[in-house]
Amino acid sequence: MDTQLDLGGLPVDTSAPVLVTGATGYVAGWIVKGLLDAGATVHAAVRDPGSAPKVQHLLDAAASSPGTLRLFASDLLREGSYAEAMRGCRIVLHTASPFVRTVKDPQRDLVDPAVRGTRNVLGTANEVSGVERVVLTSSIAAMIGDAEDTLRIPGRTVTEESWNTTSSLTREPYSYSKTLAEREAWRLAEAQDRWRLVTVNPGLVIGPALNTAPTSESFTIVRQLASGRMRFGAPRVALAVVDVREVAYAHLAAAFLPDAQGRRHLVVAESTDIVDLGRRLLPAYGSRFALPRRGLPKPLAVALAPAAGLARDYLRRNIGFPLRTTTTKSREALGVRYRPAQHSMDDMVEQLVRSGTLREGRFRKWAAAERRGALVP
Ligand code: NAP
């Protein structure tokens, strides 16, 4: 497993600190590590700098690199709380945003932190005179709501021109939060002319985490695959996936390459589906976890959806529609080289097994915990 981020000669500017918001996160962990390994000073904005489980991997990465890490206490919903962390920075990498699909109150738990948080961070960039570039972690979710929406876009292919027009507070609220946040970011960027905005729009991120107890929704899919609940078949929900190391690289390329400005970058390695992703784990893990081996016919998957904790409408809209994407811009403008999803999945599960997060032979217990809504990490 790669534990270094291959920066392939990116011109990382180490003469000024770089701000990373949401530095405790899955994606941000690799961004911070890449910066530290390149010798940069990272201003890591986190909610709780005193929480060892959240920041220990960042401290470890700093200890074994030429770079310097400084932690700052910031919250998306606390106005002005990124000002101190941003002081002296030319580059702001804004990754912080909740990535969970199941919440009690979508406005409070997803939209407010995503949109008000973006306003907070980018508003602070307006006040801190040295900021030259802001890289926003957006998502393919800001480009397309459900896989069936591809029927209504030119060439049936998601591109940097695509915008999600179907999500709402009641339908895919996470996607809605990302769409509103990115639109707000472009509005703020266009209202001034000092700093430039670049967005990175990844598909579902897969691959190993540096933090030992990752909370990102990315891990829910792997937990579901390994839980045994899908051992008789899984819904073939369309997915576009990308390795976390390529996503981190794309952020750093967007930050430091001169011609990466003013653009959205769709970052996807492969279009696939849940069953196919599970199948890739069979050679290495098929005897240890009750992985799905086949797809359920769509009508059956839709009928069984509530038992699997899924909404029927969601499956209707996301099974049977290939999620085609184009990634020419990310390859040409950012120089992203995508590894096969097979490698990402192997590395991801290997790391989860090694850290004790996924345990062999425990899928029944997992399944029971999931049914109670008490998914154990
Ligand atoms: P993650 O590990 O859960 O990271 C989310 C980060 O946001 C955490 O650092 C979290 O801080 C921070 N955050 C949440 N609410 C906050 C608040 N009110 N104030 C300050 N920080 C807050 O998830 P991730 O997958 O790395 O996601 C990172 C970014 O990538 C998000 O913008 C997400 O939308 C985007 N993205 C992810 C994927 C994917 O498949 N993973 C795909 C496309 C885009 P705490 O640690 O304190 O909770």
Side-chain angles (χ1 to χ4, degrees):
M1 185 179 97
D2 291 352
T3 50
Q4 294 288 113
L5 201 60
D6 179 5
L7 293 185
L10 266 188
V12 176
D13 175 7
T14 57
S15 65
V18 177
L19 171 61
V20 181
T21 74
T24 50
Y26 168 45
V27 169
W30 282 99
I31 296 174
V32 171
K33 182 161 170 31
L35 286 165
L36 291 170
D37 287 345
T41 295
V42 179
H43 284 190
V46 302
R47 277 199 272 198
D48 182 2
S51 165
K54 288 273 186 185
V55 301
Q56 192 56 48
H57 64 290
L58 301 176
L59 299 173
D60 292 345
S64 61
S65 78
T68 304
L69 181 77
R70 296 198 190 116
L71 296 172
F72 293 83
S74 312
D75 193 303
L76 291 170
L77 296 171
R78 194 152 45 82
E79 193 100 347
S81 66
Y82 291 88
E84 198 190 339
M86 207 179 289
R87 203 161 301 133
C89 297
R90 285 200 282 269
I91 304 283
V92 172
L93 293 147
H94 177 36
T95 82
S97 199
F99 181 29
V100 280
R101 287 194 71 243
T102 315
V103 291
K104 278 201 182 116
D105 181 340
Q107 180 69 42
R108 183 195 63 194
D109 302 333
L110 290 169
V111 173
D112 284 349
V115 179
R116 283 174 50 198
T118 296
R119 217 174 278 144
N120 189 5
V121 173
L122 274 54
T124 303
N126 282 342
E127 287 157 19
V128 177
S129 60
V131 174
E132 292 169 4
R133 196 176 297 193
V134 175
V135 180
L136 173 77
T137 316
S138 187
S139 173
I140 192 173
M143 297 172 152
I144 187 110
D146 293 288
E148 76 163 6
D149 296 347
T150 53
L151 299 179
R152 291 185 286 275
I153 56 177
R156 298 194 173 178
T157 301
V158 186
T159 72
E160 277 83 0
E161 309 302 317
S162 311
W163 277 98
N164 175 350
T165 56
T166 56
S167 296
S168 67
L169 273 181
T170 51
R171 170 173 162 170
E172 295 308 309
Y174 165 72
S175 303
Y176 185 55
S177 77
K178 295 303 288 182
T179 309
L180 293 184
E182 194 192 323
R183 283 205 181 278
E184 181 65 3
W186 285 113
R187 190 188 69 75
L188 290 165
E190 280 153 17
Q192 53 79 56
D193 57 10
R194 176 164 45 77
W195 50 267
R196 299 275 166 248
L197 179 68
V198 187
T199 70
V200 175
N201 296 59
L204 178 74
V205 184
I206 56 175
L210 294 170
N211 42 346
T212 49
T215 54
S216 170
E217 187 77 13
S218 287
F219 293 85
T220 307
I221 287 188
V222 176
R223 290 172 185 138
Q224 282 170 343
L225 284 172
S227 72
R229 282 171 68 178
M230 296 183 182
R231 63 190 176 282
F232 300 118
R236 279 197 177 276
V237 171
L239 295 172
V241 297
V242 58
D243 191 279
V244 66
R245 292 158 286 192
E246 271 76 89
V247 176
Y249 169 88
H251 279 77
L252 297 180
F256 295 111
L257 288 177
D259 56 358
Q261 303 187 13
R263 301 171 76 159
R264 306 170 88 198
H265 298 274
L266 178 56
V267 179
V268 165
E270 284 179 41
S271 290
T272 176
D273 64 58
I274 291 189
V275 177
D276 181 50
L277 272 191
R279 276 217 187 112
R280 293 172 202 230
L281 295 173
L282 285 171
Y285 297 99
S287 60
R288 295 153 78 177
F289 296 104
L291 296 163
R293 286 162 195 267
R294 63 193 168 92
L296 294 175
K298 184 169 179 176
L300 185 59
V302 170
L304 297 176
L310 296 165
R312 286 199 170 112
D313 279 347
Y314 170 73
L315 293 189
R316 278 191 198 104
R317 297 192 299 258
N318 288 284
I319 296 178
F321 308 99
L323 201 46
R324 269 191 291 272
T325 58
T326 173
T327 52
T328 313
K329 280 186 182 168
S330 66
R331 290 175 201 270
E332 289 179 358
L334 301 183
V336 182
R337 291 187 307 261
Y338 294 101
R339 80 194 72 205
Q342 175 77 53
H343 295 186
S344 313
M345 289 302 284
D346 283 343
D347 288 355
M348 187 175 196
V349 174
E350 181 195 322
Q351 187 254 348
L352 289 172
V353 170
R354 203 160 2 98
S355 67
T357 304
L358 275 188
R359 279 177 221 150
E360 296 169 44
R362 290 197 46 207
F363 57 84
R364 285 198 183 78
K365 220 167 167 180
W366 275 74
E370 269 196 333
R371 272 196 299 276
R372 290 198 310 273
L375 192 64
V376 277

